[in-house]
Amino acid sequence: MEEKISNFVSKPVRYINSEFNSIHKDLSKVKTKIALIFPDAYEIGMSHLGLKILYHIINQRQDAAAERAYSPWLDYEEQLRKKRLPLTSMETSLPLNKFDMLGFTLPYELTYTNILNILNLGNIPLMASERDERFPLIIAGGACAFNAEPIADFIDAFVLGDGEEIINEIIDVYQLWKERSQSKKELLHLLSKIEGIYIPSFYRFEYNQDGTVAGITPLNNAPERINRRIISDLDKAPFPDKPILPYMRIVHDRVTIEISRGCTRGCRFCQAGSIYRPVRERSPETIHRIVENSLKATGYEEVSLVSLSTGDYSCLSPLLSSLMDKYIGKRVAISLPSMRLGTLHSDVIKQIQRVKKTGFTLAPEAGTARLRRVINKEMSDEEFDETMKDVFRAGWGSIKLYFMIGLPTETDEDIQGIIDLAERAKRISKEVSGRYRNINISISTYVPKPHTAFQWLGQIKLEEIKKKQYYLKRTLEKKGISVKWHRPELSFIEAVFSKGDRRLGQVLKTAWERGCRFDGWTEVFNFDRWLEAFNACGISPEFYANRERQIDELLPWDHLYTGIYKKFLEKELKLSESEKALADCRFGDCFYCGVCDKGKIGEDKTENKGISPKIFQPSGLKISKGVEQFVKQDKLPFKVRIKYTRTGKLRFLSHLELMTAIIRTFRRTDIPVAYSKGFTAHPKLSFGPALPVGTESDSEYLDAELIHKISLDKVLSALNAQFPHGMMAIDAQYLLSKTESLSAAITGFSYIITIPSDTAFNISKDIISEMLQKKSIIVKRKTGSGEKEIDIRPYIKELAIASNKPEVKLYMLIQNKDGRGCKPTEALQSLLHFSEDELRSVLIKRTGLYIFKNGESQSPMDEVVKAVTYA
């Protein structure tokens, strides 16, 4: 993080490079430096499992280093451009153009403009054709790589499929090439020999007069078809068990364990179901090992078991039971974010609620049984009713149901079916629990995806999307049901690039030049700029989004092979038109999709090189139960008051982020913290008054309630072994008796304020004396209802110059009265008339907290007596 920028952005915590468990290697001692880049905001990218896996694998090598970068938010980008600074990596702040390779994750199409923006901020030419061996190799992989063409002009190489093995092969080839000092073209030629690598510059596209693809011609001896890489044994694949712990709350702020990969349910709309086949599972024993190590390394309070369909994991019930038995005493909750109706059984619900009622999102997808047969996601009314009853019977207060509109063959009856199911869920909640519960409906617009049975179909038009959304919103809200939906224009642009070809590269570049960024964020997305870009390039977006393709049409992604036969997808399309569903092939007949070795002969009459699905049988799982160390406790709690510091980049944490970091620090230690009662149990910690973001402190306090006494030295050493860099526990004392809460008792705050010499030239003792003689000092303070005038003079107890060489340092003592007070920045603005930018250049450090009693001040530690050392 650039210190010159951090004070000028809304969320500086996004850019702190000292997260717990992040890896900082000496880059001068490695052969290959790789920046792994997620082209979206930090809180989104830090939740992405694929990036975590690659980070773990690369950094296990002694000859390579992986660092991270994310799309800087708009205010950070503004500061980079204003100060002419390059975008850098998180770990060592190395400019991106100094890396050997940049590896972009491609999670969804609406991040494409961010990729261009990152390259530009990194001082790297956008076009692959303009980059020679002096620039980093630009690689991309992920779901969107299976139609790479819309961004092919900007990427040197794409990775198709699982990355656990291929990433090491890429590094080995790169190091060999570097030793030979060859050209970039020779590097691309070497990479093209690796199965699963697609070099777009080695393929020439030709087009018919009607705009369709006429031919895809391999060049430079490139293969006609790129086969997807598949990890055959997920249980043996590397997986991070010491994940990076962010300071800010991210989208999936928990330990995330991939328990299986792939899905054979065969939903015809689902691209992930095609590109991640076959099903491969991790064993319960491996999952237990990863969970245990990850919790020790992070202090997280929740574990998420993820897959495309977690309810289909073959050992789910015994795995859940054993995990809950082991971690219930440590108050670790288990969540299952991806559950199909019909797999969420009562025994699973009972296990989950033992610690905390984590959220349930269920996806009927369509409102009627007919349409669910079309998309091959069958669900009976009985299954829906029983699942709703089980959830509300177990005490859940809300449930989220996910639907799509715009599915093939959809009618008004199907739209009404969404309303009917939502009403049914609400009615069942009243019947089971005695009152209406919250039914939250999420509506998204279907985007036809490559490599699915619906890849030949077009998206419904914008006007129709808006009409259906309006009807659902109006009708459901009248019935007291919450509705959320995606902006139609976002889905439209996603559909364009989902099924686009290489000609869209010029549109993408033009849209970026016109200011398009963060197109997946409603508050940033600008549809008008996109329409201007299409018009400027003479390209119709409707040609890509809404047009129905012919079955024999050459598609822009036909040379990128997932392993699924195109003939199988054609057959599936015809079955959907007949409203016929297929069963899960794991538990019945093989339908010869082509991925696994059940279908022995491929479309080209050669032997299928697929692999067998790997699943585990629920047998004899023996896991030791955890000790319920936080359940039973002494009748009289023991409270310890801890003094700690918070300096450096941790000054950019908000109060909530600081509390979360400290709570997780305690969870990583063996300090016997007491917990509150109930299903939302929390460690019994109380904190002193909030520290403003950007302020350091040498004197912060917290109180911790313990279930039994331990040595104070142990408390300090345990915390300091786990505190992140920038925090240190410096004193600990037991409280003698019940005391007032820290936040209420502490009313005095002392600060040292360091002001740069070029800003503090007019500060003098006379100016300060004149200020202190004033009876009132009025400042304007922003509140929720607007600006309000506040007299801050009664709260300024002392103000003096502490030193004036080389910078001016002011000492300030503030005393709150009747729950009111002032901020040191408000006093500075009144004293020096600083602008907002000048205020951001000031370093403020809190040096003391005080409790005022009878006009006298005392330290919070004066309330306690140092205890004897306990064994």
Side-chain angles (χ1 to χ4, degrees), residues 45-327:
M46 272 296 290
S47 301
H48 191 264
L49 192 54
L51 189 144
K52 296 178 185 179
I53 292 172
L54 294 178
Y55 185 84
H56 167 73
I57 293 171
I58 297 169
N59 281 318
Q60 283 186 318
R61 297 179 60 132
Q62 297 300 312
D63 61 352
E67 300 194 347
R68 297 162 297 133
Y70 305 91
S71 287
W73 195 250
L74 304 178
D75 53 0
Y76 198 89
E77 178 192 344
E78 180 185 0
Q79 291 298 318
L80 286 176
R81 296 193 185 280
K82 181 179 179 180
K83 295 177 169 58
R84 298 185 178 181
L85 294 169
L87 183 61
T88 64
S89 65
M90 292 285 292
E91 281 75 3
T92 61
S93 297
L94 184 71
L96 294 186
N97 61 2
K98 301 299 182 184
F99 282 87
D100 298 302
M101 285 186 256
L102 304 186
F104 282 94
T105 297
L106 303 177
Y108 31 82
E109 293 82 359
L110 296 179
T111 61
Y112 288 170
T113 52
N114 285 354
I115 294 174
L116 272 59
N117 202 43
I118 289 168
L119 291 174
N120 180 259
L121 289 170
N123 294 325
I124 299 169
L126 299 185
M127 307 299 290
S129 59
E130 297 174 358
R131 298 190 297 264
D132 57 21
E133 54 273 11
R134 295 172 299 171
F135 294 99
L137 178 72
I138 310 300
I139 305 178
C144 291
F146 287 94
N147 180 20
E149 299 316 313
I151 53 170
D153 290 342
F154 314 103
I155 306 297
D156 295 317
F158 290 91
V159 175
L160 301 187
D162 298 333
E164 286 92 340
E165 293 174 345
I166 199 171
I167 184 60
N168 284 319
E169 296 171 21
I170 292 170
I171 294 171
D172 292 341
V173 165
Y174 183 90
Q175 291 180 353
L176 176 65
W177 166 80
K178 200 170 185 179
E179 289 171 4
R180 294 175 177 175
S181 299
Q182 295 174 315
S183 67
K184 179 182 175 181
K185 186 174 180 179
E186 184 58 33
L187 171 60
L188 297 179
H189 179 72
L190 292 171
L191 289 171
S192 71
K193 303 301 180 184
I194 300 175
E195 185 175 34
I197 294 290
Y198 170 49
I199 309 296
S201 61
F202 286 6
Y203 293 80
R204 183 178 68 246
F205 272 65
E206 296 173 303
Y207 301 95
N208 296 308
Q209 286 190 347
D210 62 0
T212 59
V213 177
I216 305 172
T217 306
L219 309 172
N220 303 309
N221 295 316
E224 290 189 5
R225 186 177 77 182
I226 309 299
N227 294 322
R228 170 171 69 104
R229 286 295 288 266
I230 303 175
I231 293 291
S232 60
D233 191 341
L234 192 66
D235 204 42
K236 294 180 181 178
F239 192 88
D241 59 2
K242 197 177 181 182
I244 297 173
L245 185 66
Y247 292 116
M248 75 179 298
R249 185 168 182 81
I250 61 176
V251 173
H252 302 303
D253 201 16
R254 57 189 72 94
V255 170
T256 302
I257 311 294
E258 184 189 29
I259 63 173
S260 68
R261 187 176 299 175
C263 178
T264 51
R265 289 284 184 169
C267 298
R268 291 173 180 135
F269 60 85
C270 181
Q271 186 187 53
S274 294
I275 66 177
Y276 292 116
R277 290 188 188 193
V279 172
R280 292 143 290 160
E281 295 185 346
R282 281 194 167 88
S283 68
E285 291 80 9
T286 299
I287 294 168
H288 264 277
R289 174 180 55 77
I290 295 171
V291 169
E292 181 175 8
N293 292 341
S294 298
L295 290 174
K296 286 180 180 178
T298 61
Y300 269 124
E301 52 288 307
E302 184 176 337
V303 174
S304 181
L305 305 179
V306 302
S307 75
L308 290 177
S309 183
T310 301
D312 288 327
Y313 179 70
S314 56
C315 303
L316 182 61
S317 187
L319 174 64
L320 267 180
S321 178
S322 59
L323 284 172
M324 296 307 306
D325 286 346
K326 185 170 184 177
Y327 295 109

Side-chain angles (χ1 to χ4, degrees), residues 860-871:
M861 283 299 188
D862 293 341
E863 287 195 314
V864 299
V865 174
K866 289 187 177 180
V868 298
T869 300
Y870 291 83

